[in-house]
Each structure stands twice: as structure tokens, then as C-alpha cells.
Amino acid sequence: MRRLLFLIFAALAIFPNPAEVCAQRFEKTEYAARRDKLMAQHSDGLIIIMGAAARTDYYRFFQNNNFMYLTGVAVPDAYLVIDPVRRESVLFATLTEYIVRDCGEPVELAADPTGYTGITMVKKPSEMEDFLKERQKTFKKFYTCFQPEELPRECSNEKLRTLNRTMVNNIWDGRMTREMQFVANLVNRFPGVGVEDCSNTIHELRIIKSPAEIELLREAGKIGVKAHLELMRSTRPGVTERELAALFEYTCRRLGAQDLAYNTIICTDINHTNVHYHIYDRTLADGDFLVVDAGPDLGYYDIDITITFPANGKFTPRQKEIYEASLAIHEAGLKVFRPGIDRAQAEKEIAEMLTAKGFDMNSSLMKALRAGFGHYVGMAVHDVGGSPKVLRPGMVIANEPYTYFADEKLGVRVENTILITETGCENLTPGLPRTVAEIEKFMKNR
Ligand code: GLY
Ligand code: MN
Ligand code: MN
């Protein structure tokens, strides 16, 4: 009996309560504040945001990031209408049997639609056309998102480029994106109303993280770090990349992640040249050097971490050389990233700092390494907005100096997810062995 109780307690400690995992939503005031900021920027039009469509497969439904950002509502086929004159938001959502069976979400939605959204009006999507006709009397302009929605493991800008190539501009396909089809439908159904894009406004809002978002990212960071430690612990010659990728995902999900932020990247040997390689077709060999770039998605918030280390736990002199160069740039970045600094100034200060430490900034290695001033991180791993021009408090970016040497079958990347604070920056993903000595010690003692 005691043993049984122990096992139950142990299981509870390891596996978070499912309710907690699902309820990674913010206070309703947080969503209301986001909608308020959006209406303040578009007070001359009715804002209509389209949610993600019901899935056609058995994969779990995920809301798209913009809709999630503004509502916290994860039901398929929903629309959000924000009226900046009446200062009210209306949620149009269907509660079908399909959704109830597969997601369970509408039970919560039906029980208390205002409970977590702060939205007091909930209607059926079939009521939306008449509703918009009525509001058309007030507004001559509709705003909606022209840019592609982000679903799990998607990044808006990259998605648009791919859809343009494979669909919109492909003569054998030629369909519009879902969003541009929606724009066309609005234009056709509401002649005389101008339809304009509000994607960038939402993206600008998403770039600056609130205290609640930062807290969630910190939690996600802890999960990512633990998963990387598990992966390192199990790495040795003879282990397959597939096993390591599975272990990373297992650990993230066990600790409460709803998904991975992106397919776990494992680059070894000839695959270092494909910096986002995620095929897992190698068995690790003695002498292999791994770049493992992976992170969890916790409640729609992503983490971006890369570790680089030798499969056998001992760096060769060349592995050490390229690793320490990347780490030095990464660490200098942590010292110089602060509000007000731009990329050129950051690179100048990093170069000065490293020159003082004895690095030859004109060497081919230092020139090959890109400075760590990377992309935004948030609800997408390459988050909306691209890369920062000037850092501001509340921005979250990847510090990711990296390079590869194809002829040597080597690559390197030291990456953490970094928050810009009022005075400098904070590493949201601390706790990994990072120096060569720390990594070798960890690999020896694991
Ligand atoms: N995790 C993808 C990247 O760092 O670009
Ligand atoms: Mn990365
Ligand atoms: Mn990155």
C-alpha cells in the first residue's frame, strides 16, 4: 500500500495535472488589454480576425497565434470582431459535436464564455454576416489580417514565402491564401467598404512581451533546458539521432509542453551544412560533433535553444576552437544587449570586447560566425516582426552565433532565448553546461 501511494505521488510530481497544462491562459484582463491596444490603433474601422479552421486529420486542434493572442480561445472556425466605437468584442464560434468529441474545449466555452476571454458577446458564425451588415452602418472600413496565420511550428513570414511559391504563384495551383480569400469574400459581400490589413499592428504588439508572457516564457525555458540536459545525458556513440529527438520531445511533453516549438534540429557530420536538419538518419559515431537546436511550446509560447557538444564527451582541439569562438560571441552579446542598441553598435562592442580578450576578429573563423543578434522569439520561434533593428525592453530574441565548415563536417551554434530588460538583458534559458570544461564534466559524470 505504501509503495502504491509512493508511486502515485511520484507520478503526480512528474506529470503535471492535466488541467494545469490546458489552462496556460492569461488573465482575461491581459486579452482585453491587447484588444484595447489594437482598437486604439485602428479606431476608424471594424476589426475582424479569423481563427484557425477545423482540422481534417486527427492531429490536435491548435488556434492560430494572432487569434490566440487576442482571445485565448482555442476552438476551430471562430471569428473575433472588435468594434472600436462601441468598445466591445464579439466572438463568433460554433460548438459542434466534432469539436466536443475531439477537443473538449467548447464545454468550457459554453460553461462560461466570458470566463477567460473577457468577451461578453458570443454568437454563432452564421450570425456574423447580418451582424457585419448592421455594423457597416457605422464603419466604412474593415480591418483584417492579410498575412498568413501561424499554426504550430509555423512562422508567418516563411509561410508566406512558401505559399507564394507553391500555391499563389504556381500556375498549376493558383489559389489565394486563406487570408486573401477571406479579404476577397469581405470585399464581395460588402461593396463600398474598404478592407485593410492589420497584421503588422498585431505583430508590433506581439513583439513587446508583457510580464505574464515573460513569466510563461521563463517556465518554457526551464522545460527546454531540462530536455536538453536529458538529451545530453543520453548522447553517446551508437545512439541514433532519432532516439535523441524522441527523448527531447518526450521530456518536453512530460513536463507540460503542448508541443515542440519546431522539429528538433540535429546536425552532425555532413548535415552541419543544413542548419535546420531534422531527418534523424544517422547513428552517432565516435568523433561526431552535434548541434542540437530544440525547444518546447508551452501554452503557445516557444523557446529556442541550441547546444553544441561532442558525442563522446571530449572536444577535439578544432571542435574546442570553433565552440569557444561561438560561446565568446554569445557571452559578449549577453553583456552588450540593452535597450537602445542597434545591430551595428552591438557588433562593434562585441568585437571590441573580444579583441581585448585576445580573439582575432579578422580571422576566418570570427568572420564566419554571425553575431548573436538574432530573430524575435515568442508565439512562433522565428516570431513575427523578423529581427530587431533597435532593442527595446520586453523584446525576446535569440542570441545565436553560428557557422559551419562543410569541408570539415563541422558546425557550431550556441543559442539561448534572451529577454531585453530595462537595463540590459536576461537569459530566459539558463542552466546548461556551456563552457568546454562544464560540458566535458557533465558528459563524464552523467
Ligand atoms: N531554431 C531555429 C533557429 O534558431 O533558427
Ligand atoms: Mn534555434
Ligand atoms: Mn534561433
Side-chain angles (χ1 to χ4, degrees), residues 57-58 96-107:
D57 53 27
Y58 273 103
T96 65
E97 191 191 321
Y98 161 81
I99 306 166
V100 174
R101 193 191 67 193
D102 285 356
C103 306
E105 285 273 5
V107 176

Side-chain angles (χ1 to χ4, degrees), residues 262 265 276 292-294 303-306 375 381-382 398 400 413 415:
Y262 46 98
I265 294 163
H276 284 171
V292 179
D293 183 340
I303 281 295
D304 197 5
I305 301 175
T306 307
H375 51 89
V381 64
H382 294 170
E400 52 172 9
R413 175 143 88 246
E415 179 173 37

